[in-house]
Amino acid sequence: MEKIDLVRSDMMAAMKAKDKERKNVLSSLLTELKNFKINKMAELTKEDEDHVVLKLIKQSKETLEMTPADRQDIIDECNYTIKVLEEYAPKMMDKDEIKEVINSVLAELSIGKPSVSDKGNIMKVLMPRVKGKADGRLVNEVLGSMME
């Protein structure tokens, strides 16, 4: 089942349950997925669907970071939006999985112990492999911890 169909059926269930907040989040996700499909002028791949979900989660997190502490209504709304969207997000890699990918890249590039000067070359090969599967900051942090 495509993610668009899944989101549509979940949105219908939320409407029947009179869960207005969940319905609104799913409605915006459905709109983003449809717009991406229209702009692409082709069927969405799993990576495209995941990209849209992760983009919306990132936007909500950025809104959350910029919201003043006294605006609890916005904070609650963003946290709820993130919680609902994460149900449709791909499983993200943890530190151990990222480390395995880094080690395979290091072996491929014939780098024993990475140094700061190697970082650009490593990231160039590494990021396409973990795109959409791992948080870029976490990848950078794990790689940094492995460097001399």
Side-chain angles (χ1 to χ4, degrees):
M1 176 183 270
E2 282 187 12
K3 199 164 282 197
I4 286 179
D5 298 328
L6 177 65
V7 171
R8 186 178 289 120
S9 68
D10 288 354
M11 186 177 79
M12 293 298 209
M15 288 167 68
K16 289 176 184 173
K18 299 196 182 338
D19 187 349
K20 188 176 180 181
E21 292 85 12
R22 183 173 176 83
K23 181 244 168 213
N24 289 340
V25 173
L26 294 176
S27 176
S28 66
L29 174 57
L30 187 60
T31 301
E32 287 293 323
L33 287 167
K34 286 180 179 179
N35 287 340
F36 195 88
K37 183 177 180 179
I38 290 167
N39 291 337
K40 186 178 178 187
M41 291 191 242
E43 291 300 313
L44 297 179
T45 63
K46 178 149 178 44
E47 290 77 25
D48 293 336
E49 293 170 343
D50 292 344
H51 170 76
V52 171
V53 173
L54 293 173
K55 183 181 92 172
L56 289 175
I57 290 173
K58 183 179 178 186
Q59 287 174 349
S60 293
K61 286 181 178 178
E62 288 171 354
T63 301
L64 195 58
E65 288 173 10
M66 293 186 292
T67 303
D70 62 338
R71 292 298 311 266
Q72 193 60 43
D73 57 330
I74 296 174
I75 292 170
D76 292 342
E77 182 182 339
C78 286
N79 284 328
Y80 183 76
T81 299
I82 292 167
K83 187 181 106 185
V84 171
L85 290 174
E86 284 178 342
E87 295 173 23
Y88 301 92
K91 180 192 170 291
M92 300 305 268
M93 297 171 84
D94 62 13
K95 286 185 177 185
D96 295 332
E97 292 171 319
I98 293 170
K99 203 167 192 170
E100 285 178 30
V101 176
I102 291 173
N103 285 331
S104 72
V105 169
L106 293 176
E108 187 180 305
L109 297 174
S110 303
I111 299 173
K113 183 77 172 153
S115 65
V116 177
S117 61
D118 298 324
K119 189 173 186 176
N121 292 331
I122 296 169
M123 292 298 268
K124 206 181 300 181
V125 176
L126 176 63
M127 289 313 288
R129 293 186 188 180
V130 297
K131 184 178 182 195
K133 299 176 196 162
D135 181 29
R137 286 186 214 146
L138 184 60
V139 172
N140 196 21
E141 179 185 309
V142 172
L143 181 58
S145 70
M146 295 172 71
M147 290 187 168
E148 294 177 335

